[in-house]
Amino acid sequence: MTSSDQDGGRRGRFAAAATAVLLVIGVLALVLGLRGQSGPPQPASAGTAPTVVSTSTPSATTPSPSTSATGSPSASATTSAPAAPSAPGKQIGQFVGASAPTRIEIPSIGVTSGTFVDLGIAADGTISVPGTADEVGFYTGGPTPGQLGPAVLAAHVDSTKGPGIFYRLGAVKAGDQVKIGRADGSTATFIVDKVASYPKDQFPTEEVYRGGFDRSEIRLVTCGGTFDKVKHYLDNVIVF
């Protein structure tokens, strides 16, 4: 083989290698671009840490009875520590005794899960979060779903492996149903009052953890909003 042939071969191999590198970079840019442009659905309304609790009444029913995966969550579900709930007010509407959640169904967004973990308070004073994107966390410092007061459930919106169990939580709308199966074999059915997104530094702690002690309520919490350069979502999406 002549020197020119060798040079030509080297140039060909270099060009092929460069093309492969550019192809990989192009695929990576496309993936990152898609992540930035078409993330999880967001609620139509933005919250501003309201001081007035919503007034429509969810129902809690008790007839009819009604599993672990891995993933590296990309962001915490909440950033504000719950305060101890105040004493319950006047009992209004139907409510039942304490019983841990064992199943959640949100028909409007196709969510069904029986994988629950308990959540408490982390060392830094914030509420802890589920270990994987496939688990639904139940905050054990408050009521259980169907009890008098607001029961809080939190889950990751996604992970490095893909969408989490609450990926489409922002698409839930007022009037949708949320069904919570309980360990005692009953099912508590709730009607959504509202869905809103809050900046994490304006997390509505009072409304989430203390509001609604005159009836059975739930709060569903996940991340949402802009995905920043540090790889964190800047908001929380909350279903009341």
Side-chain angles (χ1 to χ4, degrees):
M1 181 181 293
T2 65
S3 175
S4 59
D5 290 338
Q6 292 174 342
D7 291 343
R10 291 193 190 99
R11 285 196 297 271
R13 288 193 296 274
F14 178 79
T19 300
V21 170
L22 289 173
L23 179 59
V24 170
I25 293 174
V27 170
L28 179 61
L30 176 61
V31 170
L32 295 178
L34 288 174
R35 172 107 188 220
Q37 294 171 13
S38 58
Q42 300 301 308
S45 62
T48 55
T51 56
V52 179
V53 180
S54 55
T55 57
S56 59
T57 305
S59 61
T61 58
T62 57
S64 84
S66 171
T67 256
S68 64
T70 59
S72 177
S74 60
S76 298
T78 65
T79 58
S80 298
S86 55
K90 183 179 179 182
Q91 298 178 359
I92 299 175
Q94 187 176 12
F95 64 95
V96 293
S99 185
T102 58
R103 184 177 179 82
I104 183 171
E105 295 182 40
I106 313 176
S108 64
I109 58 172
V111 165
T112 300
S113 178
T115 304
F116 281 83
V117 293
D118 290 345
L119 303 181
I121 303 298
D124 62 358
T126 63
I127 188 173
S128 60
V129 296
T132 78
D134 299 309
E135 298 170 327
V136 179
F138 164 57
Y139 173 57
T140 58
T144 63
Q147 264 192 299
L148 193 66
V152 179
L153 303 176
H156 292 287
V157 67
D158 64 7
S159 75
T160 56
K161 295 184 178 181
I165 190 67
F166 276 0
Y167 185 80
R168 291 187 49 78
L169 195 66
V172 171
K173 294 180 172 56
D176 289 351
Q177 287 191 348
V178 179
K179 299 181 179 182
I180 307 293
R182 298 166 20 112
D184 64 4
S186 66
T187 297
T189 301
F190 299 88
I191 305 299
V192 174
D193 290 338
K194 67 178 181 180
V195 185
S197 180
Y198 301 82
K200 288 188 174 181
D201 59 1
Q202 297 179 31
F203 187 86
T205 302
E206 290 293 316
E207 190 177 12
V208 169
Y209 295 104
R210 288 186 174 181
F213 267 91
D214 58 352
R215 56 184 178 170
S216 300
E217 297 190 355
I218 55 171
R219 312 284 190 255
L220 307 180
V221 184
T222 194
C223 288
T226 302
F227 193 76
D228 69 9
K229 295 179 181 179
V230 191
K231 298 184 179 180
H232 288 93
Y233 287 100
L234 299 183
D235 298 343
N236 282 123
V237 173
I238 306 176
V239 170
F240 296 84

